[in-house]
Amino acid sequence: MHLSDEELLELPVYDLCQNEKWELLTPLLDELHHFHKVHCEKYSATQQLGGTPLAVRAFKNQLLSSIDADKIHRILKSSGTTGTQSQIVLDSDTARLQSKVLSKIMQHWLGPKRLPLLILDSRKALDVHSGMSARAAGIQGMSFFGRDYHFALDENMDLDLAVIMSFADKYAGKPVFMYGFTFIIWQRIVQQLRQLGKQVAFSDAFLLHGGGWKKISEQAVDKKTFKQELSACFGNVTVHDYYGMVEQTGTIYVECEHGMLHAPVWSDINVVDPVTLRPLPAHTVGVVQLQSVIARSYPGHNLLTEDLAIIHGIDDCVCGRKGKYFTIQGRVAQAEVRGCSDTFK
Amino acid sequence: MILLNEQVQTLVGELEQEPSNLFAFEQSLIDTVAEFSDFILKHRPSAEIVALAFWCRRSNIKNLAIHYGEQLRLRQSRVFHITPANVDTVFLYTVLLSFLVGNINIVRLSSRRGAISDELVGLIQCFVNTDKGALLGSRCLFIAYPASQFQVTATLSKWCDKRVIWGGDDAILQINQVAPVANELAFPDRFSISVLRLSSEQDAKLAAKQFFTDYQSFNQQACSSPKAIYWLCTKPAIQDCFWGALAKCADDHPQFELNHQLNRHINTQMLLMADLSLKPIRSISHPSYLMLEFEQLNSLSILNAHEGNGLILSANIDSLAQLPEHEKLQTVGYFGISKDMVKDIHALRKTPLGSALQFNHIWDGVDLVKRLN
């Protein structure tokens, strides 16, 4: 049996058990594997000894495309600290699927209505870099799920207390959405609010943050401290981390109320052994492999990342969401530094 | 003496304001290096550092002194050494040679240097604090600064009479764009291979042991580390014996870690994408190596993109004439090949298997002692 894209998008985000999910995803992933083998010569070269997940690093410095040049709708670029960028070729179908999937995931967490959005960053982040920085891309992507945007930081990355206060007053007692990068939230928002001794009491805020923990854990800040400090700053706020990458835009992994990242129905995670690349049992640290059925125009349906994770269980997270749930355990040592932790120096 | 900025970190040493003029291989210089060898061996260092200590033992240095005898000039030079990040001990060979011929040295260590490099710097630090080591510290200054500090590189390049770059093509080019010098000793990118002819299980075990020595040092990232094995008229069953024996050597001395293991897979994919004509026929994945066998491996140019970490390419040949030739081919380690036949191998350096990483004062065809003097 084969799902159409419309049927695919109708699937509940976190309600399918792993077995049901795999029955649906396996034929789609097989089909994508064959499609990309035929249409992307370089991908095909990597698959000569059997199906192996393609290294995320392969998208750096070269264009891996499975579509004709005239079908290219957009090329997504990641920001990397080393100066080498990933380049992801999208046709209009893939771009549409990506935004629909992201929007399904976000609606699950935020509800069907757009909420007032406080961006925990500076407006300047949107125009600092030529091209699309990860920070700008993140903000633009998430702004789609909010309304009446406010920026919490001014041009100098200093706290704009007046803006934050007027936002809080305007939406007192109402649900709001906040979005930003982990390190910037910590260094520019939390630290400055603490210095000023200021608190802003929201009654129902959903805070989503991403960009990795590398830089912040260098300052010996753990998740618990991060969340506690944010509660101290913002009152009743639920704090959710997310994991994802430009190579699989759309299918992000959002952290639940119990600190677990969840795979949405359109993608899946394996934690694999670095020698055999075979899946490891739960509760074991290994390398993250990500599969996604919406990578159509480029061979990104089965990726070998340089991140480490532990899968904590399948179908039985306390939060009630089905499928695999996991936590990220950092990056493989000495691997190239990438991601967003370089965004503010 | 030299105007440097706050980005420059002094690791070890303090150059004398007006260093005395010492003869090449003067007794005090030989003694210092020989004592250094004894000193580091006493501290039970990593295998790579043991190899360095073994090289600079008294008898070897004495032989060098006798060999060069009166050939060397008296005038001391100021030498600026720029060292690599990936091969943690290699720089010290040229620094010690330079010290032995009486030069004053400033050594820039990479900010990306590894654990073994730090271990070595720690040992040098302890050594120069002893009476016997003081001379080394007064004639060799070890510093670290970010590569982006071009003006520091430029200042030091003006200060020196000679510059040594263990760098690789890109680094050499970049540094010369910023600060060209007249007298430079540079070691560009090179890569190395092994050629094996095995006829028995016993051969396979012995060869595996020797090959293990060659490929695992410096995470297989030195220019002399073999990246590929060419099998000369060796039966598949005996090759399998070799891979089994290599796994056993590696199990006894585990060397590679998760990041190396993962990078082998990533690097494999990059190589296959870099040359679409490559046809791998099988692979063996072991914690200590990833073997990737090809029908043919005629072009060595992809070895430029080989990053070490325990990835071993493999191919069969019927005669030494089928060994690929390449200007960047440095060392060919050989096993089971007669002296007569070795002549047919075209490379800068040919060594019996197991000694690829042994440093020699003639390197890449350059007499380092003469060039540094």
Side-chain angles (χ1 to χ4, degrees), chain B residues 284-297:
Chain B
I284 301 175
S285 193
H286 180 273
S288 288
Y289 63 81
L290 175 61
M291 183 284 274
L292 201 61
E293 187 174 331
F294 295 90
E295 261 169 47
Q296 291 183 320
L297 200 51

Side-chain angles (χ1 to χ4, degrees), chain B residues 323-326 329 332 342-350:
Chain B
L323 274 183
E325 290 179 32
H326 199 280
L329 178 59
V332 176
V342 169
K343 278 187 242 141
D344 296 336
I345 302 173
H346 302 285
L348 285 165
R349 183 169 169 254
K350 301 169 230 179

Side-chain angles (χ1 to χ4, degrees), chain B residues 128-258:
Chain B
V128 302
N129 286 337
T130 66
D131 289 346
K132 288 167 178 169
L135 188 62
L136 186 70
S138 69
R139 300 175 81 87
C140 299
L141 172 68
F142 296 85
I143 57 173
Y145 61 86
S148 55
Q149 295 287 311
F150 296 123
Q151 76 283 12
V152 179
T153 300
T155 307
L156 292 172
S157 299
K158 274 199 195 111
W159 166 84
C160 73
D161 308 309
K162 281 180 192 141
R163 188 169 66 191
V164 179
I165 308 181
W166 283 100
D169 297 356
D170 289 349
I172 293 167
L173 188 72
Q174 263 187 25
I175 293 164
N176 273 293
Q177 276 168 354
V178 178
V181 295
N183 197 345
E184 177 167 274
L185 183 53
F187 299 93
D189 291 335
R190 298 272 186 244
F191 45 73
S192 298
I193 60 174
S194 301
V195 55
L196 275 61
R197 179 183 198 162
L198 311 181
S199 45
S200 69
E201 227 174 275
Q202 253 177 333
D203 270 3
K205 282 182 186 161
L206 183 59
K209 224 174 170 178
Q210 295 176 350
F211 181 79
F212 180 73
T213 308
D214 284 353
Y215 98 99
Q216 57 85 40
S217 296
F218 306 114
N219 298 324
Q220 204 196 3
Q221 288 173 344
C223 48
S224 317
S225 308
K227 305 289 201 291
I229 294 180
Y230 285 85
W231 301 98
L232 179 63
C233 308
T234 300
K235 289 191 186 108
I238 295 183
Q239 292 180 26
D240 283 341
C241 235
F242 172 91
W243 294 117
L246 187 64
K248 217 179 152 292
C249 291
D251 288 343
D252 295 342
H253 308 273
Q255 152 84 13
F256 294 100
E257 294 169 11
L258 189 150

Side-chain angles (χ1 to χ4, degrees), chain A residues 41-42 45-46 48-49 52-55 57-58 62 64 274-277 287 304-306 308 332-334, chain B residues 258-267 269-270 272-273 276 278-283 285-287 292 307:
Chain A
E41 205 179 9
K42 288 189 173 177
T46 64
Q48 296 181 68
L49 293 175
T52 40
L54 181 66
R57 207 186 290 169
Q62 60 182 351
L64 296 181
V275 177
T276 63
L277 300 186
V287 181
L304 182 64
T305 74
E306 292 168 50
L308 297 171
V332 173
Q334 286 175 6
Chain B
L258 189 150
N259 59 323
H260 306 120
Q261 294 164 344
L262 178 66
N263 272 300
R264 283 174 209 154
H265 290 290
I266 296 173
N267 197 196
Q269 296 184 8
M270 305 312 262
L272 294 175
M273 286 189 284
L276 297 174
L278 286 173
K279 296 278 172 265
I281 44 183
R282 67 164 183 149
S283 69
S285 193
H286 180 273
L292 201 61
E307 293 174 354

Side-chain angles (χ1 to χ4, degrees), chain B residues 32-42 53-54 56-57:
Chain B
T32 303
V33 173
E35 292 288 347
F36 179 59
S37 169
D38 292 344
F39 179 86
I40 48 183
L41 281 176
K42 260 184 237 148
F54 183 71
C56 69
R57 69 195 186 279

